[in-house]
């Protein structure tokens, strides 16, 4: 499947319920009344994904002051997320989507190219969801370093 649709600002965020590194059955509905930063990343313990998770973790309190929670999502297993979280003392909830169901709903499971080879994989992307469950900002392609600061600035402008 090469087609994907990235939900646009103003659209309701696709619902989800996934198991996380610290608890089972984490859903968007759990955070009704709060801002949600939902970021998609390719793989635990890789350089870019580690930087991104560490930067979001470092800013967790500033996001919390703005009534926001940070959720990371990848196809990795719960066990992998738990190891990743423990190894790097991450302060964000990491959700597991091994079947790529939610990744597809958000348009984050896409055709990628690397050294001339095409394959399906996770496109690093982020969605800022308001307290009523509506997407307010999207970043369909993301560079890991500095991204958390950019998301925080966007949230501050909206709050």
């Amino acid at each position: 499947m090469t087609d994907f649709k990235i939900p646009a600002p103003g659209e309701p965020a696709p619902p989800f319920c996934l198991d996380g590194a610290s608890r089972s059955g984490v859903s968007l509905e759990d955070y009704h009344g709060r801002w949600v930063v939902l970021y998609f990343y390719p793989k635990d313990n890789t350089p870019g994904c580690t930087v991104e998770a560490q930067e979001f973790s470092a800013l967790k309190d500033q996001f919390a002051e703005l009534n926001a929670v940070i959720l990371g999502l990848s196809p990795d297993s719960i066990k992998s997320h738990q190891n990743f979280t423990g190894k790097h003392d991450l302060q964000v909830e990491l959700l597991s989507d091994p079947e790529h169901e939610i990744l597809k709903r958000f348009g984050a499971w896409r055709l990628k190219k690397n050294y001339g080879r095409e394959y399906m994989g996770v496109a690093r992307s982020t969605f800022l969801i308001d307290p009523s469950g509506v997407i307010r900002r999207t970043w369909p392609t993301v560079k890991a370093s500095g991204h958390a600061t950019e998301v925080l600035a966007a949230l501050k402008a909206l709050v």
Side-chain angles (χ1 to χ4, degrees):
M1 177 179 132
T2 56
D3 289 342
F4 64 89
K5 181 186 178 306
I6 299 171
E11 293 180 6
F16 60 83
C17 185
L18 295 168
D19 290 338
S22 69
R23 66 185 179 95
S24 298
V26 177
S27 73
L28 181 59
E29 186 60 32
D30 294 343
Y31 301 103
H32 186 78
R34 296 183 70 187
W35 287 88
V36 174
V37 174
L38 180 62
Y39 77 94
F40 296 91
Y41 67 99
K43 186 145 185 64
D44 293 341
N45 285 305
T46 55
C49 297
T50 301
V51 164
E52 187 175 25
Q54 288 173 324
E55 289 184 4
F56 272 120
S57 291
L59 296 173
K60 181 185 177 191
D61 290 343
Q62 291 181 55
F63 278 99
E65 288 171 9
L66 298 169
N67 193 33
V69 63
I70 304 161
L71 303 174
L73 191 152
S74 85
D76 291 310
S77 69
I78 297 300
K79 181 94 173 128
S80 176
H81 283 344
Q82 290 168 338
N83 291 340
F84 185 41
T85 299
K87 181 177 180 181
H88 299 286
D89 192 29
L90 302 178
Q91 303 298 308
V92 296
E93 181 67 68
L94 300 179
L95 305 178
S96 178
D97 185 17
E99 304 299 321
H100 315 129
E101 188 177 319
I102 307 309
L103 286 156
K104 289 175 184 174
R105 285 188 204 165
F106 279 86
W109 185 251
R110 301 186 210 153
L111 185 65
K112 298 176 79 174
K113 294 181 182 183
N114 193 17
Y115 298 110
R117 189 174 74 94
E118 291 186 343
Y119 60 97
M120 294 302 291
V122 178
R124 191 180 309 278
S125 49
T126 302
F127 296 82
L128 184 56
I129 304 167
D130 76 13
S132 64
V134 174
I135 295 171
R136 290 295 166 208
R137 183 80 195 270
T138 63
W139 291 266
T141 54
V142 168
K143 286 191 181 242
S145 183
H147 179 59
T149 302
E150 181 183 1
V151 175
L152 182 62
L155 177 60
K156 286 178 178 178
L158 290 168
V159 173

